[in-house]
Amino acid sequence: MFSANIFTLYPEIFPGAFGHGIYHRAMEKKLWKLDIINIRDYALDKHSTVDDKPFGGGSGMVMKADVIDNCLEKNSNKLKTFYLSPRGRLFNQSLADQLAKLNGINLLCGHFEGIDQRVIESRNIEEISVGDFVLSGGESAAIIILDAILRLIPGVLGNNNSTKEESFRDNLLEYPQYTQPRVWKNLEVPNVLLSGNHAEIKGWRLNQSRSITQRLRPDLWLKYNKNKDEK
């Protein structure tokens, strides 16, 4: 069972999307579990203070080291802890694949101007980012990361082949998809997909993926060609 532990100031956000559909069914089947820890419950004063002004001046507030550390210590486990931060390692499909193979993860959601650096350093917490932009808090990033990970856990999607030909596999974007009706607004499904010739269909899809990746993501196209040359 994959364990996801989310440390947050806003526990009411969860389970959110994870309380419905495939993830809810997977949770009922005990393929994964979700624990939400309210950081505010571990404040050390009667006012439940979790933040304070930054040393050195500046706008905003910083989440306190003693509160964060107290929260993590009293919910200690053997899972790796990640702090959601715009300065962190960029989260991508490769990292999702790696994390899905673990027994679970801890996700620490920051707010305000972030958390005291001393917690990150003393606990050797790895920072990860979902993109080059700033969010109001780590909760939305945590949802994205869990969504990407959980669908890779065997049994969650039902059909394990669903994840084998998706965007970013081998640094290629996914090919176009079509379904009924065969003709819509005078637009027809490509004939090759109706041929029943699986070899031709596979070749068409690969060519489409290559063309789309080269046009839309030249950075991935360079990686694809580099990996192809090295094989």
Side-chain angles (χ1 to χ4, degrees), residues 9-10 30 33-34 40 43 52 60 64 67 86 90 97 107 118 126 130 133 135 161 168 172 175 186 195 200 202 215:
L9 291 176
Y10 299 98
K30 301 188 184 306
K33 66 176 182 176
L34 177 65
R40 202 175 296 277
D52 209 331
K64 292 162 59 67
V67 175
L90 187 63
D97 290 338
L107 295 177
R118 291 170 292 183
E126 183 175 346
V130 295
F133 45 85
L135 300 170
N161 290 324
F168 308 112
L172 288 177
Y175 47 80
N186 294 321
S195 68
E200 288 187 4
K202 184 177 181 180
R215 184 174 74 255

Side-chain angles (χ1 to χ4, degrees), residues 33-71:
K33 66 176 182 176
L34 177 65
D35 287 323
I36 307 301
I37 299 92
N38 188 346
I39 297 172
R40 202 175 296 277
D41 291 342
Y42 299 88
L44 303 173
D45 66 348
K46 64 180 181 181
H47 301 294
S48 298
T49 305
V50 297
D51 62 335
D52 209 331
K53 296 178 182 178
F55 283 119
S59 61
M61 304 287 275
V62 177
M63 293 177 70
K64 292 162 59 67
D66 51 358
V67 175
I68 298 293
D69 189 67
N70 186 43
C71 179

Side-chain angles (χ1 to χ4, degrees), residues 29-135:
K29 294 177 182 177
K30 301 188 184 306
L31 296 177
W32 77 290
K33 66 176 182 176
L34 177 65
D35 287 323
I36 307 301
I37 299 92
N38 188 346
I39 297 172
R40 202 175 296 277
D41 291 342
Y42 299 88
L44 303 173
D45 66 348
K46 64 180 181 181
H47 301 294
S48 298
T49 305
V50 297
D51 62 335
D52 209 331
K53 296 178 182 178
F55 283 119
S59 61
M61 304 287 275
V62 177
M63 293 177 70
K64 292 162 59 67
D66 51 358
V67 175
I68 298 293
D69 189 67
N70 186 43
C71 179
L72 294 174
E73 184 63 31
K74 291 185 176 178
N75 293 277
S76 179
N77 57 53
K78 296 181 179 179
L79 303 178
K80 187 171 179 59
T81 299
F82 296 90
Y83 169 51
L84 290 312
S85 164
R87 69 184 185 187
R89 172 186 177 186
L90 187 63
F91 183 77
N92 56 24
Q93 189 63 48
S94 176
L95 183 52
D97 290 338
Q98 294 175 40
L99 298 183
K101 294 179 174 66
L102 302 178
N103 293 326
I105 56 173
N106 299 318
L107 295 177
L108 175 57
C109 301
H111 266 275
F112 317 118
E113 293 302 308
I115 69 175
D116 192 301
Q117 180 68 24
R118 291 170 292 183
V119 180
I120 298 172
E121 294 176 358
S122 66
R123 287 186 169 271
N124 195 28
I125 296 174
E126 183 175 346
E127 300 178 64
I128 53 176
S129 168
V130 295
D132 295 335
F133 45 85
V134 178
L135 300 170

Side-chain angles (χ1 to χ4, degrees), residues 150-204:
L150 293 177
R151 60 195 311 281
L152 300 174
I153 296 173
V156 169
L157 292 185
N159 181 359
N160 291 332
N161 290 324
S162 298
T163 62
K164 292 182 178 179
E165 294 185 358
E166 296 183 317
S167 289
F168 308 112
R169 295 296 180 190
D170 299 322
N171 293 307
L172 288 177
L173 299 179
E174 191 176 15
Y175 47 80
Q177 299 278 14
Y178 301 87
T179 187
Q180 298 289 353
R182 289 173 58 169
V183 179
W184 176 76
K185 291 188 176 181
N186 294 321
L187 299 173
E188 298 185 11
V189 174
N191 287 330
V192 64
L193 300 179
L194 309 174
S195 68
N197 187 319
H198 297 295
E200 288 187 4
I201 292 172
K202 184 177 181 180
W204 180 87

